[in-house]
């Protein structure tokens, strides 16, 4: 049997022009809204078109653009009929007017161990860091200079003593099996903070 006849490949369809627009109207639209329409803006022959495309010169409205002060302090919006208020409209809760209580050394005694370590490692060169270190020494912890870590000598049930280290990376306590030189620990006098007679926190050192 004869092979079936194949139809020729179809040609790409051309964009059909709207039957409602004539050649003259199409040419006028290209001249008005195309690149040729920019020439009218450049020539500035149509004042309405210039206002729409380029805007309005504010100096013609009596505004001094070189003034260091606000041009219009009460202007809220082009769509607002009322002038803007100088004071912002917001309500401040009464809790913002309350003075925070002064932190005292007695407060540190109620903090958990993790809170004291958080204060020590996250508030460097702060008075609270020194107060947290003093409280840690009160609880039996000691700071080792070279390792920059906190240790505590813990006694086991069998009577042996082992060093317990606090790891700030994992935020956990674990046994430290290496020997430690007692001379490497900071002394209690090195971490004690001289408190004022009122019992409050000492003033922070002035930054140089």
């Amino acid at each position: 049997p004869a092979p079936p006849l194949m139809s020729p490949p179809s040609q790409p369809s051309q964009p059909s022009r709207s039957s409602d627009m004539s050649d003259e109207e199409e040419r006028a639209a290209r001249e008005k809204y195309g690149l040729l329409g920019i020439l009218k803006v450049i020539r500035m022959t149509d004042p309405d078109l210039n206002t729409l495309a380029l805007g309005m010169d504010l100096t013609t409205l009596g505004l001094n653009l070189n003034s260091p002060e606000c041009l219009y302090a009460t202007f809220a919006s082009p769509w607002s009929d009322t002038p803007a208020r100088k004071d912002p409209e917001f309500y401040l809760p009464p809790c913002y007017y309350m003075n925070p209580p002064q932190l005292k050394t007695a407060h540190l005694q109620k903090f958990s161990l993790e809170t004291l370590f958080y204060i020590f490692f996250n508030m460097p060169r702060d008075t609270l860091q020194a107060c947290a270190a003093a409280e840690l020494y009160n609880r039996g912890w000691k700071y080792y200079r070279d390792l920059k870590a906190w240790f505590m000598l813990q006694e086991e049930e069998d009577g042996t003593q082992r060093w317990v280290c606090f790891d700030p990376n994992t935020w956990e306590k674990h046994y430290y099996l290496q020997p430690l030189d007692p001379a490497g620990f900071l002394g209690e006098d090195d971490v004690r903070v001289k408190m004022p007679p009122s019992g409050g926190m000492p003033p922070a050192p002035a930054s140089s």
Side-chain angles (χ1 to χ4, degrees), residues 4-5 7 23 38 50 61 67 76 104 114 126 164 186 207:
L5 298 178
S7 60
D23 294 340
I38 303 179
N50 295 335
L61 302 177
S67 175
K104 300 181 180 180
E114 289 76 10
D126 194 277
V164 177
L186 287 177
S207 58

Side-chain angles (χ1 to χ4, degrees), residues 13-76:
S13 60
Q14 298 292 335
S16 60
R17 185 178 60 188
S18 175
S19 58
D20 299 336
M21 183 179 293
S22 62
D23 294 340
E24 294 296 333
E25 293 175 347
E26 185 178 359
R27 185 181 306 106
R30 288 199 303 267
E31 292 179 357
K32 184 177 181 180
Y33 301 106
L35 294 177
L36 295 177
I38 303 179
L39 294 178
K40 295 183 179 180
V41 180
I42 297 176
R43 293 168 184 171
M44 304 181 66
T45 57
D46 189 350
D48 296 335
L49 181 61
N50 295 335
T51 304
L52 178 62
L54 303 179
M56 182 179 294
D57 188 4
L58 297 180
T59 56
T60 59
L61 302 177
L63 295 178
N64 183 12
L65 300 182
N66 297 325
S67 175
E69 301 179 355
C70 297
L71 297 179
Y72 199 174
T74 59
F75 179 77

Side-chain angles (χ1 to χ4, degrees), residues 98-126:
M98 298 177 58
N99 295 325
Q102 186 179 11
L103 184 61
K104 300 181 180 180
T105 54
H107 297 163
L108 296 176
Q109 300 175 5
K110 303 178 182 179
F111 289 168
S112 63
L113 188 64
E114 289 76 10
T115 303
L116 294 176
F117 281 128
Y118 177 84
I119 295 175
F120 179 83
F121 287 108
N122 290 275
M123 297 182 179
R125 298 181 180 276
D126 194 277

